[in-house]
């Protein structure tokens, strides 16, 4: 029982892991050091073991660092897991999690709308080590479970995905996977720990791109992983120590600062996301809006079961599929800037084509990230861009 158990999440986020106020400083210092020195040989020896939940002397910043440690304790708590580690990017955390689960000859089942580079890692990179992947739509649990083979070692989930926001039934998938000894990995970047805790539904390893909501200010590239202490110990000794995808102290400190405002930022993104999504439904240029927060979201029941909210990310399919006009729409936007990523203060737009399982052709979809600007300014920007681009109406 920890002293934090009786506190609310927001209180835990502010204080957990920061019990030592170095020289009385209310905010922690950045421990910008590559190595740690020791009083004597026995302390030095202890520092070589970075496993287990109790605090040990630090040894080398590729394995652990006090600035990272504070953040990792908060993140583990926020995701209802025993242990957390931050990585140099979301992809560093994702690739480490997958490699921890597989060996030569293993098979993975993955959701076809997962993050693009994750898909490339599974589809194009891992086959060179004899690891193969079956991609499934994942709209019903049988889709995922029917793809399991005797050599399946991991199921890779992303619920919701970050373009079409398809959900997977986590509880059903994870209970079957666990009974068969298959590890489940879930990319929870869309929801952040504020709106969804996959561990509550039986997910084994949770990964995040902290470049998105956790950092929250578009000023760091970082990743995070949360899992059991036992699994994390193995990952620390192998994928973290040997592949070396650690985060540096300064971006960890920026993430620590970002995480303090995560609960209030997520509320703001939810509000503006729902506002813009509902408005888009009424625009004659829009064929379809993809957003889990809409009452018309096709997986509404699963959304209500698994998630406590939806964020600022959404997409829509224009009625007019003419590439030149869609590009003209994106070019006409003034507040929404053209750019990848999301989760920061600024609104962003990416026009892209999608061809997921279940669609018989490639379609243009416009993804919008709704940032922390004034919501009515965002609507005005979208409306003037529709008018200037001259997209066909339904
Ligand atoms: C951005 C992103 C990643 C990759 O994270 P990086 O920090 O860019 O490596 C993974 N998953 C999702 C859903 C993302 O949006």
């Amino acid at each position: 029982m920890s002293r934090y158990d009786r506190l609310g999440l927001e209180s835990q986020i502010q204080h957990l892991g920061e019990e030592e106020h170095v020289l009385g400083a209310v905010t922690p210092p950045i421990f910008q050091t590559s190595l740690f020195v020791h009083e004597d040989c026995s302390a030095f020896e202890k520092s070589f073991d970075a496993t287990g939940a109790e605090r040990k002397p630090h040894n080398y910043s590729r394995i652990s660092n006090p600035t990272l440690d504070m953040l990792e304790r908060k993140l583990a708590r926020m995701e209802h897991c025993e242990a957390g580690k931050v990585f140099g990017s979301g992809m560093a955390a994702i690739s480490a999690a997958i490699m921890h689960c597989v060996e030569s000859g293993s098979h993975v089942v993955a959701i076809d709308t997962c993050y693009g580079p994750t898909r490339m890692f599974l589809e194009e990179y891992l086959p060179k080590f004899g690891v193969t992947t079956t991609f499934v739509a994942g709209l019903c649990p049988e889709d995922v479970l029917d793809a399991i083979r005797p050599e399946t070692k991991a199921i890779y989930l992303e619920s919701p995905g970050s373009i079409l926001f398809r959900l997977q039934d986590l509880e059903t998938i994870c209970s079957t996977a666990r009974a068969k000894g298959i590890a489940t990995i879930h990319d929870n970047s869309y929801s952040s720990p504020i709106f969804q805790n996959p561990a509550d539904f039986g997910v084994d390893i949770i990964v995040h791109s902290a470049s998105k909501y956790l950092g929250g200010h578009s000023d760091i590239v970082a990743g995070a992983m949360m899992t059991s202490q036992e699994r994390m110990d193995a990952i620390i000794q192998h994928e973290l120590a040997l592949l070396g995808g650690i985060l540096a102290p300064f971006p960890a400190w920026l993430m620590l600062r970002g995480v303090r405002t995560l609960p209030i930022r997520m509320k703001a993104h939810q509000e503006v996301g729902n506002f813009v999504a509902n408005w888009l439904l009424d625009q004659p240029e829009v064929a379809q809006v993809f957003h889990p927060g809409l009452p018309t979201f096709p997986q509404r029941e699963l959304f209500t079961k698994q998630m406590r909210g939806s964020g600022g990310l959404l997409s829509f399919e224009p009625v007019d599929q003419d590439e030149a006009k869609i590009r003209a729409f994106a070019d006409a936007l003034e507040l929404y800037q053209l750019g990848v990523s999301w989760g920061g203060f600024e609104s962003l737009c990416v026009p892209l084509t999608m061809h997921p399982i279940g669609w018989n052709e490639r379609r243009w979809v416009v993804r919008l990230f709704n940032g922390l600007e004034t919501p009515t300014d965002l609507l005005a920007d979208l409306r003037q861009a529709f008018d200037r681009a001259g997209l066909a109406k339904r």
Side-chain angles (χ1 to χ4, degrees), residues 11 64 101 125 153 155 219 232 257 292 324 333 345 347 360 365:
S11 308
S64 73
C101 298
Y125 188 80
K153 288 287 188 300
I155 298 178
D219 51 9
M232 189 61 86
R257 188 172 73 161
L333 290 167
F345 59 91
S347 291
N360 45 23
V365 166

Side-chain angles (χ1 to χ4, degrees), residues 31 129 133 146 181-182 307 349 355 386:
F31 287 89
F129 302 106
T133 300
D146 290 350
I182 301 168
M307 297 168 67
C349 169
H355 194 182
F386 278 128

Side-chain angles (χ1 to χ4, degrees), residues 89-91 94 115 158 162 187 189 209 211-212 221-222 342:
S89 67
M91 280 311 297
I94 291 164
Y115 180 65
E158 197 175 308
S162 64
D187 183 334
S189 307
S209 169
S211 321
K212 315 292 161 58
V221 169
W342 45 271

Side-chain angles (χ1 to χ4, degrees), residues 16 101 118 122 156 195-197 205 229 311 340 372 383 389:
L16 198 151
C101 298
T118 303
L122 290 164
Y156 191 90
F195 287 155
Q196 180 171 254
N197 293 118
I205 307 178
Q229 188 66 52
V340 296
L372 302 175
R383 193 57 253 162

